[in-house]
């Protein structure tokens, strides 16, 4: 079985030639599969192709999608969360976050996740498997289909640890750049950080894509190793100081600043002493801190930090010379936290 989604124009021309068709038939497939207005999910719908060519492709197991819509939730602010079923009866989430000028797609890279972050619904269920590049890309088309507009920005912040699925991640980024026409600078890869993989990500990106211009966002969530391990138990394998060292190398190798995600958890990491500690860890380094409000989930002890603590924390970082911004939660009223829609549907 081969999913044509993720194929380049050249690949599709070669498919057409292999079936005794003219190369332009491959270009017709290309134009069709990357056009979100075609609410397509199978090869028979590519009516522009001759009937016998469609039949041959279908008989040989070619597909254009392996996902189906299982559930959707639209929040009051327009954020759309989709639950998609895979062919092996798993489910994954993706989110479309609209604003006037942008539509940001938040994509999953794995079914489940092995990283076990204590604040996350996905982490509670462990890893089932990694997603193929075609399954990653299909999430974009589902969002575009449902929201009836083009995705402009991509964040790999859905289910899974992208750095544990680097090959398919980079294959999908190749297609996002070339086929979906979204530049690398509009893509963010978010990681909780896996030993050695930050270096590997930039190395492989140079090999496969020829450059490495996407934003790397590291979920730090703590200003010291001990606190980090209480939030992310798997962090015990990767010292926070080593993460900063590897991040500095990423900046040197790529010229791109690194973004550090910091989830504000009441009484855990939201005091001014933590803001000072974080400033010392990051000073003199080309980076940016994103403070995030926490979306509470069932069965988890953590609580959202108060707005007052958040603002004090932000001002302290800023006064200490650290670039910082506050990311407000979107779609809070509808299963907005990572893995939450999947968790709620599986409880039904
Ligand atoms: S927050 Fe991300 S890395 Fe952590 S368990 Fe959830 S999906 Fe995995």
């Amino acid at each position: 079985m081969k999913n044509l989604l993720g194929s380049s124009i050249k690949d599709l021309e070669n498919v057409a030639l292999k079936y005794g068709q003219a190369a332009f038939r491959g270009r017709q497939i290309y134009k069709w599969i990357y056009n979100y207005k075609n609410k397509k999910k199978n090869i028979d719908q590519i009516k522009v192709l001759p009937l016998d060519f469609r039949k041959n492709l279908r008989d040989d197991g070619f597909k254009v999608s392996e996902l189906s819509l299982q559930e959707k939730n639209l929040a009051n602010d327009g954020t759309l969360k989709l639950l998609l079923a895979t062919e092996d009866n798993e489910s994954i989430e993706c989110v479309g976050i609209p604003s006037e000028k942008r539509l940001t797609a938040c994509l999953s890279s794995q079914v489940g996740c092995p990283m076990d972050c204590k604040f996350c619904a996905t982490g509670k269920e462990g890893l089932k498997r990694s997603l193929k590049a075609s399954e990653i890309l299909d999430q974009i088309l589902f969002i575009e289909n449902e929201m009836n507009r083009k995705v402009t920005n991509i964040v790999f912040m859905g289910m899974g640890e992208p750095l544990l699925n680097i090959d398919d991640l980079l294959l999908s980024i190749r297609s996002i750049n070339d086929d979906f026409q979204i530049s690398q600078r509009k893509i963010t890869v978010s990681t909780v950080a896996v030993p050695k993989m930050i270096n590997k990500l930039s190395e492989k990106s140079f090999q496969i894509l020829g450059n490495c211009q996407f934003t790397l966002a590291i979920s730090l969530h703590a200003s010291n190793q001990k606190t980090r391990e209480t939030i992310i138990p798997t962090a015990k394998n990767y010292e926070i100081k080593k993460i900063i060292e590897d991040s500095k190398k990423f900046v040197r190798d790529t010229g791109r600043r690194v973004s550090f995600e910091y989830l504000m958890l009441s009484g855990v990491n939201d005091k001014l002493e933590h803001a000072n500690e974080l400033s010392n860890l990051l000073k003199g380094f080309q980076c940016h801190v994103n403070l995030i409000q926490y979306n509470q989930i069932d069965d988890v002890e953590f609580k959202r930090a108060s707005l007052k603590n958040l603002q004090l924390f932000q001002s302290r970082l800023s006064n200490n010379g650290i670039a910082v911004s506050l990311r407000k939660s979107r779609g809070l009223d509808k299963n907005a936290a990572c893995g939450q829609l999947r968790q709620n549907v599986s409880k039904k």
Side-chain angles (χ1 to χ4, degrees), residues 110 112-124 157-162 190-192 219 221 232 338:
Q110 297 185 303
C113 182
M115 299 309 286
D116 196 25
C117 302
K118 289 299 168 210
F119 53 83
C120 169
T122 303
K124 285 173 161 294
M157 289 187 181
M159 299 165 69
E161 168 49 66
S190 174
T191 175
V192 89
S219 298
H221 305 326
I232 311 166
C338 170

Side-chain angles (χ1 to χ4, degrees), residues 21-252:
Q21 303 285 328
F24 82 88
R25 293 292 183 197
R27 294 196 288 280
Q28 286 179 320
I29 301 175
Y30 183 86
K31 218 171 148 191
W32 193 87
I33 61 178
Y34 295 108
N35 180 356
Y36 74 91
K37 288 186 177 153
N38 294 321
K39 299 212 174 197
K40 51 68 185 112
K41 290 300 156 198
N42 73 63
I43 280 178
D44 280 324
Q45 292 166 280
I46 318 180
K47 303 279 188 219
V48 67
L49 299 179
L51 200 59
D52 60 335
F53 184 29
R54 276 185 266 157
K55 182 174 180 310
N56 289 341
L57 289 173
R58 197 188 55 227
D59 290 350
D60 287 349
F62 282 97
K63 299 191 171 199
V64 289
S65 176
E66 293 155 84
L67 302 177
S68 54
L69 185 61
Q70 201 176 352
E71 181 105 1
K72 58 179 170 182
N73 270 184
L74 181 64
N76 293 336
D77 64 2
T79 299
L80 180 70
K81 189 160 201 169
L82 301 178
L83 189 68
L84 304 173
T86 62
E87 286 195 331
D88 53 353
N89 292 322
E90 297 295 347
S91 44
I92 54 169
E93 291 181 1
C94 59
V95 187
I97 306 155
S99 65
E100 201 187 324
K101 292 199 174 135
R102 291 178 179 193
L103 174 56
T104 301
C106 175
L107 306 181
S108 292
S109 56
Q110 297 185 303
V111 183
C113 182
M115 299 309 286
D116 196 25
C117 302
K118 289 299 168 210
F119 53 83
C120 169
T122 303
K124 285 173 161 294
E125 297 185 34
L127 175 69
K128 298 276 173 51
R129 68 172 173 86
S130 288
L131 291 175
K132 294 178 283 184
S134 53
E135 293 171 306
I136 294 172
L137 296 167
D138 214 358
Q139 297 170 56
I140 305 173
L141 287 171
F142 268 95
I143 291 169
E144 291 183 337
N145 281 172
E146 290 295 325
M147 301 185 88
N148 202 26
R149 60 188 277 203
K150 284 288 293 168
V151 162
T152 57
N153 296 64
I154 302 280
V155 293
F156 284 93
M157 289 187 181
M159 299 165 69
E161 168 49 66
L163 268 53
L164 293 176
N165 190 15
I166 281 193
D167 288 337
D168 283 85
L169 170 78
L170 291 173
L171 285 175
S172 71
I173 291 179
R174 199 264 340 131
S175 180
I176 291 168
N177 294 160
D178 296 348
D179 310 322
F180 287 81
Q181 303 279 306
I182 300 170
S183 75
Q184 274 195 40
R185 283 174 177 259
K186 294 187 171 170
I187 300 173
T188 298
V189 175
S190 174
T191 175
V192 89
V194 182
K196 300 194 170 70
M197 298 310 268
I198 295 175
N199 293 343
K200 197 165 173 190
L201 179 68
S202 54
E203 269 169 32
K204 281 209 148 196
S205 180
F206 280 111
Q207 272 168 23
I208 294 174
L209 307 174
N211 58 7
C212 183
Q213 287 297 293
F214 47 78
T215 299
L216 180 66
I218 297 180
S219 298
L220 207 59
H221 305 326
S223 52
N224 61 62
Q225 181 65 16
K226 195 161 163 243
T227 309
R228 194 161 193 268
E229 285 182 30
T230 62
I231 303 169
I232 311 166
T234 51
K236 66 179 183 301
N237 303 318
Y238 201 1
E239 270 288 324
I240 198 165
K241 290 201 169 117
K242 178 70 179 134
I243 294 176
I244 304 302
E245 225 176 83
D246 290 346
S247 303
K248 286 182 178 169
K249 179 169 171 13
F250 185 90
V251 173
R252 283 196 303 275

Side-chain angles (χ1 to χ4, degrees), residues 257 260 282 285 287-290 317-318 320-325:
R257 77 174 179 180
F260 290 104
L282 302 181
F285 167 34
C287 68
H288 178 265
V289 175
N290 250 329
L317 285 184
S318 186
N320 289 345
I322 306 290
V324 56
S325 57

